[in-house]
Amino acid sequence: MAWVLCPAVEPLPAGDLAYPAWQAVIDLSALGTIVLAVTLLWRSSRHAPVAGIAAGVLMAVETITCPWAGHTPVGWWTWVQAGLSLAVLLTAAALVSRWPRMTAPGR
């Protein structure tokens, strides 16, 4: 949900800029780790929290690269996106400490 909200709050790109190929690699990597994290979480894999942390980090990198690429200036939306990325990252980090107890047999 956070990954969908991030571009939803951002204004349209300023000017007629081409989408850089290097940014596509970051965006697709973020999407891939999100799908991986959700799938691993659904399957109760012990690797789910690590994939979630990777997803949060890549979402933060996406937030940084958009103004850097010149698509939009830094604005209130940048801080909203950073907060959403941080929420994903902290949620996954919290799972790291709780995961063994959450997935213990008999629960």
Side-chain angles (χ1 to χ4, degrees):
M1 181 63 127
W3 190 78
V4 173
L5 288 174
C6 280
V9 298
E10 186 175 319
L12 292 174
D16 188 23
L17 296 173
Y19 185 72
W22 60 267
Q23 195 172 5
V25 172
I26 296 168
D27 293 343
L28 291 174
S29 297
L31 180 59
T33 56
I34 292 166
V35 170
L36 178 66
V38 169
T39 302
L40 291 174
L41 187 62
W42 172 58
R43 300 198 37 107
S44 298
S45 170
R46 64 186 175 95
H47 300 293
V50 175
I53 290 171
V57 167
L58 284 168
M59 284 178 60
V61 170
E62 282 182 304
T63 299
I64 294 166
T65 58
C66 199
W68 189 38
H71 288 153
T72 57
V74 175
W76 64 267
W77 53 87
T78 309
W79 305 113
V80 171
Q81 291 172 334
L84 290 167
S85 301
L86 187 60
V88 170
L89 183 60
L90 292 176
T91 301
L95 280 177
V96 169
S97 64
R98 295 182 159 306
W99 198 253
R101 290 179 292 179
M102 290 173 55
T103 58
R107 284 224 174 233

